[in-house]
Amino acid sequence: MPQDPAERRVVVTGPPRRARRASGYYRPRTEIDEQTTLGHTYVRSLMRTQLRAALTVVAVLVLLVGPLPLLFAAMPDARRPEWAVLGFGLYAPLVLLARWYVRRAEHNERDFVRLVEDRVEDRATDRATDRAEDR
């Protein structure tokens, strides 16, 4: 029985599989998981950037809060509006400083994850998002 060319069988397969990467492919995540010297360097780099952000916050706090006792001592006893200085002059900068620190820490972690996962394609969109958030 000859087969009709119109009745060809179709082979259904699963979704196309990704090609395996060569065994020599460089993966930062494996460097970190295996705790090699390079992986240790990656983690130290993240810790260093987070420490830099934290030390910046501490320095600004010292500059904001440090002179307050001198300011209060220099004021006469009759007119000591400590609550006004603390409430209006210190609260808003502290909130802005905390907001800056959280955004900086998240940015550092995002950069680290991008480095570890070796994602290059989203860098331009992430930079545009960061610029929009900074405005």
Side-chain angles (χ1 to χ4, degrees), residues 76-94:
D77 290 334
R79 297 178 40 193
R80 294 186 86 180
E82 288 100 0
W83 63 271
V85 172
L86 293 174
F88 296 112
L90 194 61
Y91 184 72
L94 286 179

Side-chain angles (χ1 to χ4, degrees), residues 2-128:
Q3 284 187 346
D4 188 20
E7 296 180 21
R8 292 184 62 196
R9 290 188 176 201
V10 177
V11 178
V12 179
T13 62
R17 296 182 183 179
R18 286 190 262 174
R20 276 199 147 166
R21 295 185 176 166
S23 61
Y25 182 71
Y26 167 70
R27 295 286 303 176
R29 180 177 280 176
T30 58
E31 297 287 338
I32 293 169
D33 290 342
E34 293 174 2
Q35 297 179 353
T36 62
T37 305
L38 184 60
H40 181 69
T41 304
Y42 280 131
V43 173
R44 270 189 34 212
S45 171
L46 173 65
M47 290 172 58
R48 200 175 286 152
T49 57
Q50 297 292 49
L51 179 65
R52 189 178 307 127
L55 290 177
T56 303
V57 168
V58 168
V60 171
L61 275 175
V62 166
L63 291 174
L64 281 174
V65 178
L68 286 179
L70 297 173
L71 178 70
F72 293 148
M75 291 179 149
D77 290 334
R79 297 178 40 193
R80 294 186 86 180
E82 288 100 0
W83 63 271
V85 172
L86 293 174
F88 296 112
L90 194 61
Y91 184 72
L94 286 179
V95 169
L96 292 174
L97 188 62
R99 183 175 175 215
W100 176 85
Y101 176 73
V102 168
R103 290 181 63 207
R104 174 55 41 195
E106 289 173 350
H107 178 78
N108 292 340
E109 290 172 3
R110 221 177 313 133
D111 285 347
F112 180 74
V113 168
R114 190 180 307 125
L115 173 73
V116 169
E117 291 181 353
D118 200 29
R119 293 186 311 184
V120 179
E121 65 273 0
D122 293 334
R123 288 186 184 173
T125 57
D126 287 344
R127 285 185 192 135

